[in-house]
């Protein structure tokens, strides 16, 4: 954030163009969160914190608190499953009640804290990765999704930096293809060996013993350890359990919602059917085109997330420690302790 302007990498343009977009007020920043210019629970949280700080700068002094409340509701409505969004909005809202300067400082400190958490997740999580590991991941939980190294990808980045040989299976992550577009782009840039597989191929590779370990991110984790993450996570977790492959979730404590008792209580965002019915990308001439791939006249359902029950998890890698076989009690001990 510079002055009242927020800058972000436009993730909708990746991997074909790298463009930094800027947003002058909180309503524009809300639009960027909704249309997924910025995405990934942590990055959404950071952006939401900055949006709240922008709202405090814009608010009319006479109706300051009322306008802050209005902005808060608007921001919270953008991507309701991402816990970090509510966490950041709450913190910056409270700071904004004191002053606009404190709001901006608080928003920055959330991003700084995320960077520290990301490093700690990586340092703890890399111990789970043996040399020559073949790791599966889903969606994008890298540095585009959480400052600085990401969540699920942080242990992979640090293992690679430490000289371990790693190979990553990235599934496409339909309908928006965050795996094929964003995770593949990140790993290409980092020089980490990987391959993109169709969404429906993970169970096949797990069944053959080709994938030794799965690590995914989370959008919200309930008090009992149930995890909301990108649609398709549940299927991978079920297959991993069937074939005895360890399945880890990597997430900071800011993604836990200890007031939410279990996964069934998590609000699952429903997105536009167009994301399922059409694909978008550049043709051979580099012109971006949107093409319908589904039968004309049919409709689609597009839940953005699913819930993986805690009993399918081997553990949760947090910045405070790895919670093996998570339970309400062990989560409370690590997260609140
Ligand atoms: O819809 P998205 O792309 O925002 O969903 C992202 C995910 O599901 C990630 O796995 C999750 O946010 C963790 S990334 C810190």
């Amino acid at each position: 954030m510079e002055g009242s302007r927020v800058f972000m990498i436009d993730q909708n343009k990746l991997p074909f163009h790298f463009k930094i977009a800027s947003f002058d007020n909180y309503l524009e920043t809300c639009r960027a969160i909704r249309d997924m210019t910025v995405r990934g629970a942590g990055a959404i949280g950071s952006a939401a914190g900055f949006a709240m700080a922008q709202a405090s700068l814009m608010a009319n002094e006479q109706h300051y608190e009322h306008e802050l409340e209005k902005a808060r509701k608007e921001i919270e409505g953008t991507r309701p499953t991402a816990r970090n969004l509510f966490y950041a909005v709450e913190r910056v809202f409270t700071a904004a009640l004191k002053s606009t300067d404190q709001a901006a400082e608080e928003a920055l400190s959330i991003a700084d804290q995320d960077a520290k958490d990301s490093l700690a997740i990586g340092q703890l999580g890399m111990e789970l990765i043996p040399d020559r590991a073949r790791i599966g991941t889903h969606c994008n939980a890298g540095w585009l999704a959480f400052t600085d190294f990401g969540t699920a990808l942080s242990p992979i980045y640090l293992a690679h930096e430490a000289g371990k040989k790693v190979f990553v299976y990235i599934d496409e992550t339909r309908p928006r293809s965050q795996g094929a577009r964003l995770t593949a782009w990140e790993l290409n840039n980092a020089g980490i060996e990987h391959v993109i597989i169709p969404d429906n191929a993970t169970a096949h590779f797990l069944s053959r013993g080709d994938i030794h370990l799965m690590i995914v991110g989370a959008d919200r984790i309930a008090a009992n350890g149930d995890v909301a993450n990108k649609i398709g996570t549940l299927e991978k977790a079920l297959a991993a359990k069937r074939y005895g492959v360890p399945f880890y979730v990597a997430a900071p404590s800011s993604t836990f919602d200890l007031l939410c008792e279990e996964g069934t209580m998590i609000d699952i965002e429903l997105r536009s059917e167009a994301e399922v019915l059409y694909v978008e990308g550049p043709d051979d001439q580099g012109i971006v085109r949107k093409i319908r791939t589904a039968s004309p006249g049919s409709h689609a359902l597009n839940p953005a997330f699913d819930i993986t029950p805690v009993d399918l998890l081997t553990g949760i890698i947090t910045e405070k420690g790895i919670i093996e076989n998570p339970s309400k009690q062990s989560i409370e001990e690590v997260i609140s302790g």
Side-chain angles (χ1 to χ4, degrees), residues 159-296:
H160 172 75
E161 271 180 22
K164 291 184 190 176
K165 201 166 158 40
V166 288
F167 186 92
V168 183
Y169 286 79
I170 305 170
D171 66 18
E172 298 168 281
T173 322
R174 284 278 298 144
R176 293 188 62 106
S177 303
Q178 290 94 326
R181 290 195 303 114
L182 305 178
T183 299
W185 182 78
E186 281 196 29
L187 296 190
N188 256 324
N189 285 325
I192 295 179
E193 273 193 81
H194 63 276
V195 69
I196 298 168
I197 58 172
D199 270 340
N200 40 14
T202 304
H204 168 73
F205 289 109
L206 285 167
S207 76
R208 291 158 40 120
D210 290 340
I211 300 176
H212 307 148
L213 166 73
M214 293 286 300
I215 314 180
V216 302
D219 283 81
R220 189 180 289 255
I221 303 177
N224 71 342
D226 291 348
V227 170
N229 191 48
K230 178 54 51 194
I231 191 80
T233 304
L234 171 60
E235 285 180 6
K236 324 264 167 233
L238 284 164
K241 182 85 170 179
R242 170 68 176 79
Y243 294 106
V245 176
F247 191 93
Y248 282 93
V249 167
S253 43
S254 47
T255 303
F256 286 75
D257 183 356
L258 298 184
L259 297 178
C260 171
E261 279 172 33
E262 54 172 55
T264 51
M265 294 163 73
I266 297 175
D267 187 6
I268 301 287
E269 176 191 358
L270 264 182
R271 294 189 62 85
S272 146
E273 66 169 6
E275 292 181 349
V276 180
L277 301 175
Y278 295 82
V279 292
E280 203 176 312
D283 64 14
D284 289 347
Q285 272 73 50
I287 300 163
V288 174
R289 303 212 186 263
K290 190 172 170 185
I291 298 164
R292 183 164 178 124
T293 54
S295 174

Side-chain angles (χ1 to χ4, degrees), residues 11 33 36 38-44 79 82 84 138-142 144-147 150-152 173 176 178 182 216-220 228-231 233 250-252 255 269 271 304-305:
Q11 298 195 36
I33 297 172
M36 295 176 64
V38 62
R39 47 139 305 278
I44 292 170
R79 303 275 327 261
N84 297 63
H138 182 52
C139 194
N140 172 264
L144 288 166
F146 188 71
T147 327
T151 53
T173 322
R176 293 188 62 106
Q178 290 94 326
L182 305 178
V216 302
D219 283 81
R220 189 180 289 255
N229 191 48
K230 178 54 51 194
I231 191 80
T233 304
T255 303
E269 176 191 358
R271 294 189 62 85
F305 304 100

